[in-house]
Amino acid sequence: AASGGPTSIRQVKLDKECELRIEVAETPFRLRLLTGTAEIFGTEIPPEIWLSLPPRLKFAVFTWYGATIEMDGTTETDYTADETPMVSYVNVHAVLEGRRNRAKASPGDSDASQGPRVIVVGPTDSGKSTLSRMLLSWAAKQGWKPTFVDLDIGQGSITIPGCVAATPIEMPIDPVEGIPLEMPLVYFHGHPTPSANVDFYKVLVKELAQTLEKQFSGNAESRAAGMVINTMGWIDGVGYDLLLHAIDAFSASVVLVLGQEKLCSMLKDVLKNKPNVDVVKLQKSGGVVSRNPKVRQRARGGRIREYFYGLANDLSPHSNIANFSDLSIYRIGGGPQAPRSALPIGAEPTADPTRLVPVNINRDLLHLVLAVSYAKEPEQIISSNVAGFIYITDIDIQRRKITYLAPCHGELPGKYLIVGSLTWVET
Ligand code: ATP
């Protein structure tokens, strides 16, 4: 680790195919490329220009041909690694590139015109999000507009946690800003883990896949570019079933398995009858940093904060007030079960996981993050995507008024709101 001090500027020379791995501390840190070429997770960094990296960011500057990097500021750690799996990753990219070109050359044919649908799987902290990002950025650099699908509802990188989402990637992903949020397609589950309602999670994954399928059918360019699907690190038991469900729902054609022999052989075995699906094992990078539950929790809060306030506190959300009667809030699944007396003799009361349960407005809603559905009727809520999110800051029972934070001023884009268990304490 570098120590601080008045002059903390230093240079690091990287040989070809090496990377500089950095964990940013809580204090300001910046770097720039002095000579050669280098990239951060698949996105080239411009020469000479200082890049400010946010606190706690963990990343690597990789060079294919050699580079000199200048750093300014203290870090938690920084070290150079000459062993990385980058060559195997870029080889995957080259294969995908070939498939995209083939797809582009067969516009009329509905099967052949479909580019690769890649799903990245592996245990927690195996580098799935990072590999997804590199594959997307390399494709975008070559002019493709691949679709990024994020099924990781614990640590989503498209929008806030608790969602499954998709968005086209039109440019290499900015190492600091992340995924641009123009018009993502977002479905709200409302919990940071699917286990809170597994069936509802599956419904949303299916909806997202079907909506993308429809979009692709009218857009040859997106279709040929294909998709990269990032998944959760939950790979045992129900988590494994959810992976199989996702592979099926999105008709994945390439399954990239990071860092786990056992998962790879299980998937190879169950998918062996599907000649159109390739299961490929890839090495995990030694640079991937493990995150404990506390760090993950903190990252979730950070994502919600970023939604309302922007990465650099550059957004100003609005505090709005609505009457109880203006909003209809629903919870999905669970809720009060039918009383035994209302059921046929012998039937056991079960909670329908996708039942719509109206929620009474009371102070239990304080500090919860709700999604604003595009649904026009309550029946459409389960299958509708969401426009955005609000955060409840006050409930006045006497005057029947709700105060909430929204990214913009004025009326909400819909009156139906979905609530789960996603909370946030503004700090
Ligand atoms: P999850 O279990 O949340 O799904 P994941 O498998 O997607 O995690 P990543 O998010 O890709 O893992 O990586 C974990 C952390 O390690 C991230 O902070 C990422 O920026 C960092 N990281 C990944 N690769 C490297 C590397 N080569 N050098 C330094 N840091 C890295």
Side-chain angles (χ1 to χ4, degrees), residues 92 95-100 102-103 111-121 213 216 223-229 243-244 246-257 267-268 271 274-280:
V92 169
V95 171
L96 301 178
E97 206 54 16
R99 295 194 182 183
R100 291 188 182 107
R102 244 176 296 150
D111 280 335
S113 65
Q114 175 60 61
R117 295 186 175 193
V118 185
I119 185 163
V120 183
V121 308
E213 196 70 63
F216 277 9
R223 199 174 161 77
M227 38 180 143
V228 176
I229 306 161
L243 284 184
L244 295 181
I247 291 169
D248 183 57
F250 286 93
S251 306
S253 55
V254 180
V255 183
L256 300 178
V257 189
L267 288 172
K268 274 197 169 137
L271 297 168
K274 300 200 169 165
N276 299 330
V277 186
D278 294 319
V279 180
V280 180

Side-chain angles (χ1 to χ4, degrees), residues 19 21-22 41 58-60 123-131 152 155 230-233 285 287-289 291 296:
E19 70 185 22
R21 294 174 180 161
I22 298 172
F41 297 153
K58 295 152 185 53
F59 69 104
T124 46
D125 299 321
S126 55
K128 297 178 295 299
S129 316
T130 304
L131 176 60
D152 184 357
Q155 303 278 319
N230 181 35
T231 61
M232 294 174 288
S285 167
V288 177
V289 182
R291 290 161 297 175
R296 286 171 187 275

Side-chain angles (χ1 to χ4, degrees), residues 7-312:
T7 53
S8 52
I9 294 200
R10 61 220 181 270
Q11 291 180 5
V12 178
K13 196 173 165 303
L14 290 174
D15 290 332
K16 75 187 240 295
E17 289 172 24
C18 289
E19 70 185 22
L20 173 60
R21 294 174 180 161
I22 298 172
E23 293 185 33
V24 182
E26 299 288 338
T27 44
F29 175 81
R30 50 183 203 152
L31 64 74
R32 62 178 177 160
L33 173 68
L34 286 183
T35 66
T37 54
E39 56 185 49
I40 297 179
F41 297 153
T43 301
E44 272 198 79
I45 55 177
E48 302 287 341
I49 298 168
W50 284 105
L51 289 179
S52 290
L53 286 314
R56 296 182 297 279
L57 189 74
K58 295 152 185 53
F59 69 104
V61 184
F62 177 86
T63 179
W64 292 106
Y65 306 108
T68 312
I69 307 295
E70 188 166 53
M71 295 191 273
D72 178 16
T74 50
T75 60
E76 282 291 328
T77 41
D78 60 80
Y79 67 97
T80 303
D82 56 5
E83 259 177 58
T84 78
M86 292 293 278
V87 171
S88 61
Y89 294 177
V90 86
N91 285 340
V92 169
H93 164 71
V95 171
L96 301 178
E97 206 54 16
R99 295 194 182 183
R100 291 188 182 107
N101 283 319
R102 244 176 296 150
K104 195 179 175 182
S106 340
D109 184 322
S110 74
D111 280 335
S113 65
Q114 175 60 61
R117 295 186 175 193
V118 185
I119 185 163
V120 183
V121 308
T124 46
D125 299 321
S126 55
K128 297 178 295 299
S129 316
T130 304
L131 176 60
S132 303
R133 190 182 263 239
M134 289 191 281
L135 294 173
L136 290 160
S137 289
W138 287 331
K141 187 182 171 191
Q142 279 170 287
W144 301 98
K145 294 177 182 166
T147 299
F148 177 37
V149 178
D150 200 349
L151 303 182
D152 184 357
I153 70 171
Q155 303 278 319
S157 42
I158 295 180
T159 181
I160 69 166
C163 299
V164 294
T167 191
I169 301 298
E170 311 198 336
M171 290 207 303
I173 298 164
D174 187 288
V176 178
E177 303 284 324
I179 314 275
L181 275 191
E182 264 118 56
M183 273 298 273
L185 179 61
V186 180
Y187 291 86
F188 186 64
H189 183 264
H191 308 278
T193 160
S195 56
N197 189 338
V198 170
D199 290 283
F200 182 40
Y201 179 82
K202 285 185 174 176
V203 168
L204 296 183
V205 166
K206 197 84 205 159
E207 284 294 335
L208 178 60
Q210 282 167 352
T211 305
L212 289 177
E213 196 70 63
K214 260 181 247 149
Q215 292 183 354
F216 277 9
S217 69
N219 186 336
E221 194 184 7
S222 299
R223 199 174 161 77
M227 38 180 143
V228 176
I229 306 161
N230 181 35
T231 61
M232 294 174 288
W234 187 20
I235 55 167
D236 306 314
V238 176
Y240 179 70
D241 294 341
L242 290 177
L243 284 184
L244 295 181
H245 177 260
I247 291 169
D248 183 57
F250 286 93
S251 306
S253 55
V254 180
V255 183
L256 300 178
V257 189
L258 270 174
Q260 220 209 43
E261 209 75 54
K262 179 176 155 214
L263 178 63
C264 185
S265 85
M266 281 166 77
L267 288 172
K268 274 197 169 137
D269 198 50
V270 327
L271 297 168
K272 65 174 181 277
N273 299 326
K274 300 200 169 165
N276 299 330
V277 186
D278 294 319
V279 180
V280 180
K281 191 179 75 190
L282 287 172
Q283 205 195 321
K284 166 183 164 173
S285 167
V288 177
V289 182
S290 304
R291 290 161 297 175
N292 61 35
K294 214 175 140 202
V295 173
R296 286 171 187 275
Q297 171 83 40
R298 185 170 180 180
R300 277 200 280 276
R303 292 292 294 169
I304 298 173
R305 189 185 159 75
E306 188 185 332
Y307 174 80
F308 290 106
Y309 287 95
L311 191 62

